[in-house]
Amino acid sequence: MLTLNWNGKMKFTAHTESNHEVVMDAYTDVGGEDSAARPMEVLLAALAGCTAMDVISILEKMKTTPRDFKIEISYTKAKEHPKVYTDIHLKYIFYGNVPKENAEKAVNLSQTKYCSVSAMLRKAANITYELVFES
């Protein structure tokens, strides 16, 4: 079970089932103190974290761990409330000697089979992705 506690103004702390905390806050112009991420930012971080864990796990099983790895996410939101994400684009960036076919397979498996956050968000938003290889 997840519980959420109000910390005053627009700041909240979620206490997760795995016994960790996620702090969220709002912009100052809507009553927050701008002291933590917004809930929609946390949602994108969850997406990135979910698919990144899949990709690294799959690549390690293929014995092709990248030297470094990151994901950049760009998005479009609806103009009217609720301002949901309508389009989400993930850029998977691999550093080091990662065979393209292994990276493509890992990302594809994450996006089509394993990442539950992607699966949920895909019901509301168009999710696209690209792979970039850096030395």
Side-chain angles (χ1 to χ4, degrees), residues 12 19 23 57 63 73 82 88 90 94 97 102 119-120 130:
F12 297 85
N19 202 31
V23 180
S57 175
K63 309 250 187 275
I73 297 181
I88 300 170
L90 296 98
F94 298 88
N97 189 20
N102 288 12
M120 288 188 70
E130 66 181 295

Side-chain angles (χ1 to χ4, degrees), residues 6-12 24-39:
W6 180 38
N7 302 328
K9 295 196 176 186
M10 295 300 286
K11 189 172 184 180
F12 297 85
M24 294 168 278
D25 199 357
Y27 292 107
T28 56
D29 63 344
V30 292
E33 296 178 326
D34 194 22
S35 66
R38 313 300 173 255

Side-chain angles (χ1 to χ4, degrees), residues 55 58-59 62 101-111:
V55 168
I58 293 165
L59 287 175
M62 295 177 177
E101 58 276 3
N102 288 12
E104 287 173 344
K105 182 174 183 180
V107 169
N108 186 51
L109 282 170
S110 176
Q111 285 297 317

Side-chain angles (χ1 to χ4, degrees), residues 18-74:
S18 59
N19 202 31
H20 296 281
E21 294 182 344
V22 177
V23 180
M24 294 168 278
D25 199 357
Y27 292 107
T28 56
D29 63 344
V30 292
E33 296 178 326
D34 194 22
S35 66
R38 313 300 173 255
M40 290 294 280
E41 293 172 330
V42 174
L43 183 62
L44 288 180
L47 171 61
C50 179
T51 188
M53 289 179 189
D54 291 341
V55 168
I56 291 299
S57 175
I58 293 165
L59 287 175
E60 285 180 344
K61 288 176 183 157
M62 295 177 177
K63 309 250 187 275
T64 55
T65 305
R67 178 175 43 80
D68 201 1
F69 173 69
K70 72 178 179 180
I71 296 174
E72 295 176 353
I73 297 181
S74 55

